[in-house]
Amino acid sequence: DTGVSQDPRHKITKRGQNVTFRCDPISEHNRLYWYRQTLGQGPEFLTYFQNEAQLEKSRLLSDRFSAERPKGSFSTLEIQRTEQGDSAMYLCASSSTEMNTEAFFGQGTRLTVV
Amino acid sequence: RKEVEQDPGPFNVPEGATVAFNCTYSNSASQSFFWYRQDCRKEPKLLMSVYSSGNEDGRFTAQLNRASQYISLLIRDSKLSDSATYLCSTSGNTPLVFGKGTRLSVIA
């Protein structure tokens, strides 16, 4: 499968725990995006990378959120000290940097904080 | 003002109807425009890119109005299978951002 892959697909965690999600983009794509989506809303942009450089992180929801893409391939999104309000679908997408090329999404990681 | 705004709907239309969605964007530097389709509990998938000259793909037509900063999607001869949420998105000197989506229900 050469699409965007996210792991895990589902995560249930207790409040206060840390969680880490992984995204493997399409191999030739150098842009990688993270979004959060809650019911009835569109994907909310969190951060993105071009290769290993994180180009925008001011929209990460709080300092509990961080993301890395150390070798310009896969990326991880970490949420520390999870809160119930963090429950959502976390979507990863990748694209090339050419104009008018779309982003392809992974199937997402559904986080439930109990 | 939100970067991308859409009427959330829902739009409930009978089979065979024509339906149109609009989307406005605030960043005049936006360069790329897309419509995505999202089914319930699934990831968004590209429906079509939107080009300056407008473009058509079967029953779907997308238009871009840069002067007024909006894009539109027209669906002709609606099918039951068109029921989904339609997301408008833009990018340019900013990362790819999305509207909240417009929900469409096509009714038999």
Side-chain angles (χ1 to χ4, degrees):
Chain A
D1 185 350
T2 57
V4 179
S5 175
Q6 291 189 245
D7 184 69
R9 293 287 307 280
H10 303 274
K11 177 71 177 179
I12 300 174
T13 191
K14 292 183 179 179
R15 272 182 301 174
Q17 297 295 304
N18 299 343
V19 294
T20 300
F21 309 141
R22 176 177 170 129
C23 172
D24 287 88
I26 293 171
S27 58
E28 60 267 28
H29 285 176
N30 49 16
R31 278 201 179 165
L32 185 149
Y33 302 85
W34 284 101
Y35 297 87
R36 182 179 80 158
Q37 189 173 29
T38 53
L39 196 62
Q41 302 296 313
E44 179 184 11
F45 171 77
L46 297 178
T47 189
Y48 83 122
F49 295 84
Q50 182 156 314
N51 300 312
E52 65 273 14
Q54 191 171 12
L55 298 186
E56 170 68 66
K57 57 182 178 180
S58 65
R59 301 196 213 187
L60 286 166
L61 300 165
S62 77
D63 59 7
R64 298 183 296 106
F65 287 70
S66 63
E68 292 183 342
R69 194 183 184 197
K71 296 182 180 178
S73 56
F74 73 92
S75 175
T76 57
L77 177 70
E78 181 181 18
I79 309 174
Q80 295 182 327
R81 305 181 302 280
T82 52
E83 301 172 357
Q84 284 191 315
D86 297 332
S87 296
M89 175 72 84
Y90 290 84
L91 291 163
C92 174
S94 71
S95 74
S96 71
T97 50
E98 293 177 21
M99 278 282 292
N100 291 325
T101 55
E102 70 272 24
F104 293 85
F105 281 85
Q107 292 180 299
T109 294
R110 184 169 295 282
L111 173 66
T112 302
V113 182
V114 297
Chain B
R1 182 180 173 187
K2 292 191 181 297
E3 290 173 289
V4 180
E5 296 202 60
Q6 297 181 248
D7 180 346
F11 284 64
N12 299 314
V13 301
E15 274 186 291
T18 295
V19 61
F21 309 136
N22 284 336
C23 161
T24 58
Y25 61 94
S26 61
N27 185 356
S28 59
S30 293
Q31 298 169 332
S32 302
F33 306 89
F34 308 95
W35 282 103
Y36 281 75
R37 170 190 169 132
Q38 186 172 28
D39 294 299
C40 189
R41 294 191 165 268
K42 299 284 189 179
E43 74 274 22
K45 292 186 178 178
L46 182 74
L47 177 66
M48 58 198 305
S49 301
V50 187
Y51 303 120
S52 296
S53 55
N55 46 302
E56 187 174 308
D57 182 2
R59 298 181 293 109
F60 299 85
T61 300
Q63 296 281 350
L64 168 63
N65 184 318
R66 284 190 185 273
S68 300
Q69 294 185 201
Y70 78 82
I71 68 173
S72 64
L73 177 68
L74 182 77
I75 305 175
R76 291 180 298 278
D77 188 24
S78 299
K79 311 291 185 191
L80 293 175
S81 57
D82 293 334
S83 297
T85 296
Y86 291 83
L87 298 162
C88 168
S89 67
T90 73
S91 69
N93 62 352
T94 57
L96 186 64
V97 291
F98 289 81
K100 289 187 175 183
T102 298
R103 193 151 51 93
L104 171 67
S105 291
V106 181
I107 304 163

